[in-house]
Amino acid sequence: MTILITGAAGFIGANFVLDWLAQSDEPVVNLDKLTYAGNLETLASLQDDARHTFVQGDIGDAELVARLLAQHQPRAVLNFAAESHVDRSIHSPEDFIQTNIVGTFRLLEAVRAYWGGLPEDAKSAFRFLHVSTDEVYGSLGATDPAFTETHRYEPNSPYSASKAASDHLVRAYHHTYGLPVLTTNCSNNYGPYHFPEKLIPLMIVNALAGKPLPVYGDGMQVRDWLYVKDHCSAIRRVLDAGRPGEVYNIGGWNEKPNIEIVHTVCALLDELRPKPDANSYSAQISYVKDRPGHDRRYAIDASKIERELGWKPAETFESGIRKTVQWYLANPEWVAHVQSGAYRDWVQTQYAATAEA
Ligand code: NAD
Ligand code: TYD
């Protein structure tokens, strides 16, 4: 048996493949376009591992996907591939529409054709697992109950709107064609191999480089944070035992305002890599112009996956964030290599604009 994973050179997909092959000998075919966010160095330990086949390509390339499905006959397709950064979606939404909506549609079409030709037992055992986000549900008020799976879709950014559209397509392929789909909507992940355009790795990398730590607006926006390996274990559980057609929210029961996250990162760095002058990294915090349409609060009610599938996060935020900071301190080469020319151009565009508070 084999599984096909898309976008597994990115942050969560790569963590998923590393964990999968640490626990199972079932081979993985990894289809990834290698955009700026895809990095094969993360999977360097699998270079000579026959269980991992890497294919560079686009989920929207119907011919390529059809060929891979026919060749490898996977029992499941897991779709991690996406454009994933909200700020980039605000600057240039086009890629989000192409990959997250059109790409998911083309992938679904190729999978539907392949699945339709499988023998009955393989057909009913097949799964299409779509990895999505809590951002599709929009923004909560301070005292609103957390998002459940039946919460209305109210996406506010081009990123969340494109993910919402992909979720709807996945749902439709189940209801219309009977494709055995599973959808997961997860909160903000953090952990090893996280591209340093997102809040937590950006703060670690900037702090160590002596640069400002840019906090948008008043820093009181709330996110639920989940250690990436817990997200991976939840996806494995949903793949094993989730009911086709169902949606599972995944979260860490860990809501925190951004400014508290930044102070926690600074305190850990003060402890693990104190500055020579003994000042705190928190002196580098700099409030900048807010993100347009910035969602105020996300919170996930993850009781369905716990009740029905017995999944709960293993890490607390305290243990997960410590591991994360330690990982970045131990892996400066990985960080240096992803900070390519394209990364530097992005940082310049984004933070030159936000500095105009
Ligand atoms: P990421 O940006 O780090 O990685 C995305 C990967 O997809 C990259 O390797 C990229 O090369 C690849 N890719 C992009 N377009 C592609 C295309 N057209 N065809 C093939 N590959 C393509 O993203 P991530 O943080 O690892 O997120 C993975 C998935 O999880 C996404 O679908 C995202 O919406 C979802 N998600 C992310 C978070 C989070 O906190 N990071 C939370 C919930 C859900
Ligand atoms: P991010 O990591 O981009 O994830 P998302 O927008 O998908 O939740 O941002 C997390 C939070 O941190 C979000 O409220 C925006 C905020 N943020 C900053 O304050 N400064 C930054 O430089 C970045 C990248 C994010």
Side-chain angles (χ1 to χ4, degrees), residues 85-87 135 188 197-199 202-203 214-216 221 223 258 291 294 298 351:
H85 189 37
V86 173
D87 294 319
E135 306 195 20
N188 285 56
E197 65 183 351
K198 305 277 170 68
L199 180 71
L202 182 84
M203 294 300 152
V215 173
Y216 298 164
Q221 301 81 9
R223 300 289 183 264
N258 293 338
R291 170 188 282 173
H294 197 170
Y298 304 140
Y351 295 97

PDB file of all heavy atoms in Angstrom, residues 85-87 135 188 197-199 202-203 214-216 221 223 258 291 294 298 351, ligand 2:
ATOM      1  N   HIS A  85       0.110  31.719   3.302  1.00  0.00           N
ATOM      2  CA  HIS A  85       0.409  32.882   4.157  1.00  0.00           C
ATOM      3  C   HIS A  85      -0.556  34.042   3.901  1.00  0.00           C
ATOM      4  O   HIS A  85      -0.606  34.600   2.799  1.00  0.00           O
ATOM      5  CB  HIS A  85       1.858  33.315   3.929  1.00  0.00           C
ATOM      6  CG  HIS A  85       2.326  34.348   4.912  1.00  0.00           C
ATOM      7  ND1 HIS A  85       1.948  34.355   6.234  1.00  0.00           N
ATOM      8  CD2 HIS A  85       3.158  35.402   4.781  1.00  0.00           C
ATOM      9  CE1 HIS A  85       2.517  35.374   6.865  1.00  0.00           C
ATOM     10  NE2 HIS A  85       3.250  36.026   5.990  1.00  0.00           N
ATOM     11  N   VAL A  86      -1.292  34.413   4.949  1.00  0.00           N
ATOM     12  CA  VAL A  86      -2.339  35.447   4.838  1.00  0.00           C
ATOM     13  C   VAL A  86      -1.778  36.749   4.258  1.00  0.00           C
ATOM     14  O   VAL A  86      -2.376  37.345   3.347  1.00  0.00           O
ATOM     15  CB  VAL A  86      -2.983  35.715   6.222  1.00  0.00           C
ATOM     16  CG1 VAL A  86      -3.940  36.886   6.153  1.00  0.00           C
ATOM     17  CG2 VAL A  86      -3.682  34.467   6.746  1.00  0.00           C
ATOM     18  N   ASP A  87      -0.636  37.199   4.758  1.00  0.00           N
ATOM     19  CA  ASP A  87      -0.104  38.486   4.286  1.00  0.00           C
ATOM     20  C   ASP A  87       0.220  38.441   2.786  1.00  0.00           C
ATOM     21  O   ASP A  87      -0.005  39.409   2.065  1.00  0.00           O
ATOM     22  CB  ASP A  87       1.145  38.887   5.080  1.00  0.00           C
ATOM     23  CG  ASP A  87       0.811  39.184   6.542  1.00  0.00           C
ATOM     24  OD1 ASP A  87      -0.233  39.817   6.790  1.00  0.00           O
ATOM     25  OD2 ASP A  87       1.569  38.760   7.431  1.00  0.00           O
ATOM     26  N   GLU A 135      -9.367  29.186   9.807  1.00  0.00           N
ATOM     27  CA  GLU A 135      -9.604  30.561   9.346  1.00  0.00           C
ATOM     28  C   GLU A 135     -10.838  30.676   8.454  1.00  0.00           C
ATOM     29  O   GLU A 135     -11.357  31.768   8.252  1.00  0.00           O
ATOM     30  CB  GLU A 135      -8.355  31.112   8.638  1.00  0.00           C
ATOM     31  CG  GLU A 135      -7.138  30.988   9.526  1.00  0.00           C
ATOM     32  CD  GLU A 135      -5.932  31.806   9.107  1.00  0.00           C
ATOM     33  OE1 GLU A 135      -6.088  32.775   8.353  1.00  0.00           O
ATOM     34  OE2 GLU A 135      -4.827  31.467   9.561  1.00  0.00           O
ATOM     35  N   ASN A 188      -3.656  27.378  14.350  1.00  0.00           N
ATOM     36  CA  ASN A 188      -2.276  27.743  13.988  1.00  0.00           C
ATOM     37  C   ASN A 188      -1.274  26.717  14.502  1.00  0.00           C
ATOM     38  O   ASN A 188      -1.247  26.411  15.687  1.00  0.00           O
ATOM     39  CB  ASN A 188      -1.911  29.102  14.606  1.00  0.00           C
ATOM     40  CG  ASN A 188      -2.546  30.256  13.876  1.00  0.00           C
ATOM     41  OD1 ASN A 188      -3.758  30.304  13.731  1.00  0.00           O
ATOM     42  ND2 ASN A 188      -1.735  31.181  13.410  1.00  0.00           N
ATOM     43  N   GLU A 197       8.357  33.309   7.806  1.00  0.00           N
ATOM     44  CA  GLU A 197       7.472  34.432   7.465  1.00  0.00           C
ATOM     45  C   GLU A 197       6.297  34.431   8.431  1.00  0.00           C
ATOM     46  O   GLU A 197       5.567  35.410   8.516  1.00  0.00           O
ATOM     47  CB  GLU A 197       6.942  34.292   6.026  1.00  0.00           C
ATOM     48  CG  GLU A 197       6.051  33.074   5.845  1.00  0.00           C
ATOM     49  CD  GLU A 197       5.557  32.856   4.425  1.00  0.00           C
ATOM     50  OE1 GLU A 197       5.753  33.726   3.567  1.00  0.00           O
ATOM     51  OE2 GLU A 197       4.965  31.780   4.175  1.00  0.00           O
ATOM     52  N   LYS A 198       6.100  33.318   9.149  1.00  0.00           N
ATOM     53  CA  LYS A 198       4.967  33.195  10.085  1.00  0.00           C
ATOM     54  C   LYS A 198       5.413  33.672  11.467  1.00  0.00           C
ATOM     55  O   LYS A 198       6.611  33.688  11.777  1.00  0.00           O
ATOM     56  CB  LYS A 198       4.490  31.746  10.139  1.00  0.00           C
ATOM     57  CG  LYS A 198       4.120  31.149   8.770  1.00  0.00           C
ATOM     58  CD  LYS A 198       2.724  31.499   8.313  1.00  0.00           C
ATOM     59  CE  LYS A 198       2.449  31.115   6.862  1.00  0.00           C
ATOM     60  NZ  LYS A 198       2.387  29.712   6.572  1.00  0.00           N
ATOM     61  N   LEU A 199       4.430  34.008  12.316  1.00  0.00           N
ATOM     62  CA  LEU A 199       4.734  34.740  13.552  1.00  0.00           C
ATOM     63  C   LEU A 199       5.877  34.136  14.382  1.00  0.00           C
ATOM     64  O   LEU A 199       6.871  34.811  14.657  1.00  0.00           O
ATOM     65  CB  LEU A 199       3.471  34.850  14.423  1.00  0.00           C
ATOM     66  CG  LEU A 199       3.698  35.604  15.747  1.00  0.00           C
ATOM     67  CD1 LEU A 199       3.899  37.090  15.491  1.00  0.00           C
ATOM     68  CD2 LEU A 199       2.546  35.384  16.714  1.00  0.00           C
ATOM     69  N   LEU A 202       9.387  33.785  12.699  1.00  0.00           N
ATOM     70  CA  LEU A 202       9.882  35.128  12.361  1.00  0.00           C
ATOM     71  C   LEU A 202      10.435  35.819  13.614  1.00  0.00           C
ATOM     72  O   LEU A 202      11.489  36.467  13.575  1.00  0.00           O
ATOM     73  CB  LEU A 202       8.771  35.980  11.745  1.00  0.00           C
ATOM     74  CG  LEU A 202       9.212  37.381  11.306  1.00  0.00           C
ATOM     75  CD1 LEU A 202       9.830  37.344   9.911  1.00  0.00           C
ATOM     76  CD2 LEU A 202       8.057  38.367  11.314  1.00  0.00           C
ATOM     77  N   MET A 203       9.720  35.667  14.733  1.00  0.00           N
ATOM     78  CA  MET A 203      10.162  36.318  15.965  1.00  0.00           C
ATOM     79  C   MET A 203      11.492  35.728  16.438  1.00  0.00           C
ATOM     80  O   MET A 203      12.385  36.446  16.864  1.00  0.00           O
ATOM     81  CB  MET A 203       9.093  36.166  17.064  1.00  0.00           C
ATOM     82  CG  MET A 203       7.810  36.909  16.762  1.00  0.00           C
ATOM     83  SD  MET A 203       8.074  38.700  16.584  1.00  0.00           S
ATOM     84  CE  MET A 203       6.746  39.137  15.475  1.00  0.00           C
ATOM     85  N   PRO A 214       8.200  42.622  14.740  1.00  0.00           N
ATOM     86  CA  PRO A 214       7.035  43.401  14.313  1.00  0.00           C
ATOM     87  C   PRO A 214       5.703  42.819  14.789  1.00  0.00           C
ATOM     88  O   PRO A 214       5.288  41.756  14.326  1.00  0.00           O
ATOM     89  CB  PRO A 214       7.125  43.354  12.779  1.00  0.00           C
ATOM     90  CG  PRO A 214       7.890  42.104  12.479  1.00  0.00           C
ATOM     91  CD  PRO A 214       8.770  41.808  13.652  1.00  0.00           C
ATOM     92  N   VAL A 215       5.053  43.504  15.696  1.00  0.00           N
ATOM     93  CA  VAL A 215       3.747  43.067  16.209  1.00  0.00           C
ATOM     94  C   VAL A 215       2.684  43.928  15.541  1.00  0.00           C
ATOM     95  O   VAL A 215       2.730  45.166  15.622  1.00  0.00           O
ATOM     96  CB  VAL A 215       3.701  43.215  17.750  1.00  0.00           C
ATOM     97  CG1 VAL A 215       2.303  42.938  18.285  1.00  0.00           C
ATOM     98  CG2 VAL A 215       4.732  42.294  18.397  1.00  0.00           C
ATOM     99  N   TYR A 216       1.726  43.274  14.872  1.00  0.00           N
ATOM    100  CA  TYR A 216       0.702  44.017  14.132  1.00  0.00           C
ATOM    101  C   TYR A 216      -0.324  44.632  15.101  1.00  0.00           C
ATOM    102  O   TYR A 216      -0.813  43.949  16.013  1.00  0.00           O
ATOM    103  CB  TYR A 216      -0.071  43.107  13.176  1.00  0.00           C
ATOM    104  CG  TYR A 216       0.745  42.447  12.067  1.00  0.00           C
ATOM    105  CD1 TYR A 216       0.211  41.369  11.364  1.00  0.00           C
ATOM    106  CD2 TYR A 216       2.012  42.900  11.702  1.00  0.00           C
ATOM    107  CE1 TYR A 216       0.924  40.748  10.338  1.00  0.00           C
ATOM    108  CE2 TYR A 216       2.725  42.285  10.680  1.00  0.00           C
ATOM    109  CZ  TYR A 216       2.187  41.212  10.011  1.00  0.00           C
ATOM    110  OH  TYR A 216       2.883  40.599   8.995  1.00  0.00           O
ATOM    111  N   GLN A 221      -4.620  40.224  19.141  1.00  0.00           N
ATOM    112  CA  GLN A 221      -5.354  39.220  18.356  1.00  0.00           C
ATOM    113  C   GLN A 221      -5.041  37.845  18.957  1.00  0.00           C
ATOM    114  O   GLN A 221      -3.906  37.574  19.340  1.00  0.00           O
ATOM    115  CB  GLN A 221      -4.915  39.245  16.882  1.00  0.00           C
ATOM    116  CG  GLN A 221      -5.107  40.577  16.196  1.00  0.00           C
ATOM    117  CD  GLN A 221      -3.997  41.564  16.480  1.00  0.00           C
ATOM    118  OE1 GLN A 221      -2.976  41.218  17.063  1.00  0.00           O
ATOM    119  NE2 GLN A 221      -4.195  42.800  16.084  1.00  0.00           N
ATOM    120  N   ARG A 223      -5.033  33.678  18.799  1.00  0.00           N
ATOM    121  CA  ARG A 223      -4.993  32.460  17.981  1.00  0.00           C
ATOM    122  C   ARG A 223      -4.928  31.258  18.917  1.00  0.00           C
ATOM    123  O   ARG A 223      -4.431  31.368  20.041  1.00  0.00           O
ATOM    124  CB  ARG A 223      -3.735  32.446  17.076  1.00  0.00           C
ATOM    125  CG  ARG A 223      -3.649  33.609  16.092  1.00  0.00           C
ATOM    126  CD  ARG A 223      -4.688  33.456  15.003  1.00  0.00           C
ATOM    127  NE  ARG A 223      -4.630  34.491  13.977  1.00  0.00           N
ATOM    128  CZ  ARG A 223      -5.389  35.593  13.984  1.00  0.00           C
ATOM    129  NH1 ARG A 223      -6.232  35.834  14.983  1.00  0.00           N
ATOM    130  NH2 ARG A 223      -5.329  36.461  12.978  1.00  0.00           N
ATOM    131  N   ASN A 258      -1.289  37.425  20.549  1.00  0.00           N
ATOM    132  CA  ASN A 258       0.021  37.431  19.886  1.00  0.00           C
ATOM    133  C   ASN A 258       1.129  37.998  20.768  1.00  0.00           C
ATOM    134  O   ASN A 258       2.235  37.463  20.801  1.00  0.00           O
ATOM    135  CB  ASN A 258      -0.055  38.259  18.591  1.00  0.00           C
ATOM    136  CG  ASN A 258      -0.949  37.610  17.556  1.00  0.00           C
ATOM    137  OD1 ASN A 258      -1.191  36.409  17.602  1.00  0.00           O
ATOM    138  ND2 ASN A 258      -1.456  38.403  16.620  1.00  0.00           N
ATOM    139  N   ARG A 291      -2.529  44.433  10.037  1.00  0.00           N
ATOM    140  CA  ARG A 291      -2.878  43.730   8.790  1.00  0.00           C
ATOM    141  C   ARG A 291      -4.296  44.151   8.383  1.00  0.00           C
ATOM    142  O   ARG A 291      -5.193  44.145   9.233  1.00  0.00           O
ATOM    143  CB  ARG A 291      -2.833  42.241   9.093  1.00  0.00           C
ATOM    144  CG  ARG A 291      -3.374  41.338   8.026  1.00  0.00           C
ATOM    145  CD  ARG A 291      -3.454  39.897   8.531  1.00  0.00           C
ATOM    146  NE  ARG A 291      -2.177  39.214   8.530  1.00  0.00           N
ATOM    147  CZ  ARG A 291      -1.964  37.999   9.046  1.00  0.00           C
ATOM    148  NH1 ARG A 291      -2.961  37.346   9.625  1.00  0.00           N
ATOM    149  NH2 ARG A 291      -0.790  37.439   8.996  1.00  0.00           N
ATOM    150  N   HIS A 294      -7.690  42.183   9.595  1.00  0.00           N
ATOM    151  CA  HIS A 294      -7.074  41.236  10.546  1.00  0.00           C
ATOM    152  C   HIS A 294      -8.126  40.585  11.454  1.00  0.00           C
ATOM    153  O   HIS A 294      -8.787  41.268  12.235  1.00  0.00           O
ATOM    154  CB  HIS A 294      -6.063  42.013  11.402  1.00  0.00           C
ATOM    155  CG  HIS A 294      -5.079  41.157  12.113  1.00  0.00           C
ATOM    156  ND1 HIS A 294      -3.993  41.690  12.761  1.00  0.00           N
ATOM    157  CD2 HIS A 294      -5.009  39.822  12.286  1.00  0.00           C
ATOM    158  CE1 HIS A 294      -3.293  40.714  13.298  1.00  0.00           C
ATOM    159  NE2 HIS A 294      -3.893  39.572  13.030  1.00  0.00           N
ATOM    160  N   TYR A 298      -9.413  33.542  16.809  1.00  0.00           N
ATOM    161  CA  TYR A 298      -9.790  32.183  16.393  1.00  0.00           C
ATOM    162  C   TYR A 298      -9.741  31.299  17.630  1.00  0.00           C
ATOM    163  O   TYR A 298      -8.825  31.420  18.448  1.00  0.00           O
ATOM    164  CB  TYR A 298      -8.805  31.566  15.391  1.00  0.00           C
ATOM    165  CG  TYR A 298      -8.539  32.333  14.118  1.00  0.00           C
ATOM    166  CD1 TYR A 298      -7.244  32.395  13.603  1.00  0.00           C
ATOM    167  CD2 TYR A 298      -9.556  32.956  13.405  1.00  0.00           C
ATOM    168  CE1 TYR A 298      -6.968  33.056  12.423  1.00  0.00           C
ATOM    169  CE2 TYR A 298      -9.277  33.617  12.223  1.00  0.00           C
ATOM    170  CZ  TYR A 298      -7.994  33.677  11.733  1.00  0.00           C
ATOM    171  OH  TYR A 298      -7.715  34.332  10.565  1.00  0.00           O
ATOM    172  N   TYR A 351       7.425  44.387   5.313  1.00  0.00           N
ATOM    173  CA  TYR A 351       7.691  45.187   6.505  1.00  0.00           C
ATOM    174  C   TYR A 351       8.023  46.637   6.183  1.00  0.00           C
ATOM    175  O   TYR A 351       7.892  47.492   7.035  1.00  0.00           O
ATOM    176  CB  TYR A 351       8.698  44.480   7.424  1.00  0.00           C
ATOM    177  CG  TYR A 351       8.065  43.202   7.943  1.00  0.00           C
ATOM    178  CD1 TYR A 351       8.313  41.968   7.350  1.00  0.00           C
ATOM    179  CD2 TYR A 351       7.118  43.255   8.968  1.00  0.00           C
ATOM    180  CE1 TYR A 351       7.679  40.816   7.775  1.00  0.00           C
ATOM    181  CE2 TYR A 351       6.469  42.101   9.397  1.00  0.00           C
ATOM    182  CZ  TYR A 351       6.756  40.891   8.799  1.00  0.00           C
ATOM    183  OH  TYR A 351       6.101  39.763   9.215  1.00  0.00           O
TER     184      TYR A 351
HETATM  185  P1  TYD B   2       0.562  34.155  11.035  1.00  0.00           P
HETATM  186  O1  TYD B   2       1.699  33.354  11.586  1.00  0.00           O
HETATM  187  O2  TYD B   2       0.773  34.885   9.748  1.00  0.00           O
HETATM  188  O3  TYD B   2      -0.705  33.189  10.966  1.00  0.00           O
HETATM  189  P2  TYD B   2      -2.276  33.552  10.647  1.00  0.00           P
HETATM  190  O4  TYD B   2      -2.385  34.927  10.141  1.00  0.00           O
HETATM  191  O5  TYD B   2      -2.592  32.540   9.617  1.00  0.00           O
HETATM  192  O6  TYD B   2      -2.989  33.364  11.956  1.00  0.00           O
HETATM  193  O7  TYD B   2       0.148  35.211  12.122  1.00  0.00           O
HETATM  194  C1  TYD B   2      -0.279  34.835  13.414  1.00  0.00           C
HETATM  195  C2  TYD B   2      -0.714  36.083  14.112  1.00  0.00           C
HETATM  196  O8  TYD B   2       0.437  36.931  14.320  1.00  0.00           O
HETATM  197  C3  TYD B   2      -1.699  36.917  13.311  1.00  0.00           C
HETATM  198  O9  TYD B   2      -2.654  37.496  14.194  1.00  0.00           O
HETATM  199  C4  TYD B   2      -0.846  37.999  12.673  1.00  0.00           C
HETATM  200  C5  TYD B   2       0.247  38.210  13.701  1.00  0.00           C
HETATM  201  N1  TYD B   2       1.570  38.623  13.146  1.00  0.00           N
HETATM  202  C6  TYD B   2       2.232  39.740  13.677  1.00  0.00           C
HETATM  203  O10 TYD B   2       1.744  40.399  14.617  1.00  0.00           O
HETATM  204  N2  TYD B   2       3.451  40.079  13.156  1.00  0.00           N
HETATM  205  C7  TYD B   2       4.021  39.398  12.129  1.00  0.00           C
HETATM  206  O11 TYD B   2       5.123  39.769  11.647  1.00  0.00           O
HETATM  207  C8  TYD B   2       3.334  38.241  11.597  1.00  0.00           C
HETATM  208  C9  TYD B   2       3.922  37.438  10.467  1.00  0.00           C
HETATM  209  C10 TYD B   2       2.110  37.889  12.147  1.00  0.00           C
END
